[in-house]
Amino acid sequence: MTKRLIALGVLLAAGTPLWAADAPRDNATLAARAEAVFGKQAGQSFDAPAVKPSALAPRTETVTVTLAPGKGAEVQAELDAGQGMVFHWSASGDVAVDLHGERTGSKDEYTSYDIEAGQRQGAGTFVAPFAGTHGWFWKNRSQQPVTVTLTITGFHKRLVRHGGQP
């Protein structure tokens, strides 16, 4: 117990917040915290980068857009690097889709993560490889209007929407 208190005191004296979002996320720091809080545990390993703390609370948002024949719309979430979201979208008809991201401050440059020619739904998890907006562009290639509904839960700052009808 005394060793744990000493280790905890060393962390606090060094000004290292124990659970703050901006605390160091390396295995050595995590191992020191584990020993200070719970004592040395046989067989314990550490993978601190597996957790990306967030100062934001997770949010769930649903957006619906209607695509006129031959038209497209884009919905993106603004995320910091390493932050993620869980998503599901469905469409009333086939749409071409490009899941992509744009770095903060970029002009006319983007990175595609997944492209499909004709799809009615998509679901998964996404972790932003860089800070910026990340999301979907859907294009209706049919002769009938298509409605797309997207639900995301994540640590996004806001949704950005371009095109389509509400």
Side-chain angles (χ1 to χ4, degrees):
M1 179 70 142
T2 302
K3 284 184 181 179
R4 282 188 267 176
L5 290 176
I6 291 170
L8 182 59
V10 168
L11 287 172
L12 293 174
T16 305
L18 285 180
W19 312 113
D22 60 348
R25 297 295 310 157
D26 61 82
N27 289 339
T29 302
L30 185 59
R33 287 181 182 159
E35 188 170 347
V37 175
F38 297 108
K40 191 155 182 76
Q41 302 292 316
Q44 185 176 20
S45 63
F46 302 96
D47 189 2
V51 174
K52 173 71 172 151
S54 177
L56 300 173
R59 302 167 30 161
T60 298
E61 293 188 65
T62 299
V63 175
T64 300
V65 294
T66 300
L67 308 175
K71 299 295 182 183
E74 182 175 42
V75 176
Q76 294 180 297
E78 185 179 339
L79 294 163
D80 288 333
Q83 293 298 339
M85 61 183 168
V86 175
F87 66 89
H88 177 265
W89 65 267
S90 61
S92 61
D94 286 348
V95 290
V97 61
D98 179 2
L99 174 56
H100 64 283
E102 296 150 4
R103 292 180 189 278
T104 301
S106 75
K107 307 259 191 233
D108 303 324
E109 292 183 5
Y110 63 97
T111 301
S112 290
Y113 311 116
D114 189 29
I115 296 175
E116 297 292 336
Q119 198 171 355
R120 287 193 182 211
Q121 67 176 345
T125 57
F126 175 83
V127 176
F130 51 82
T133 54
H134 306 270
W136 301 262
F137 174 78
W138 298 281
K139 184 166 185 178
N140 177 5
R141 295 194 171 158
S142 76
Q143 299 302 311
Q144 303 298 320
V146 173
T147 300
V148 179
T149 300
L150 166 70
T151 299
I152 67 169
T153 298
F155 295 97
H156 57 290
K157 296 175 183 176
R158 66 187 178 108
L159 288 182
V160 179
R161 184 172 148 177
H162 307 282
Q165 301 295 317

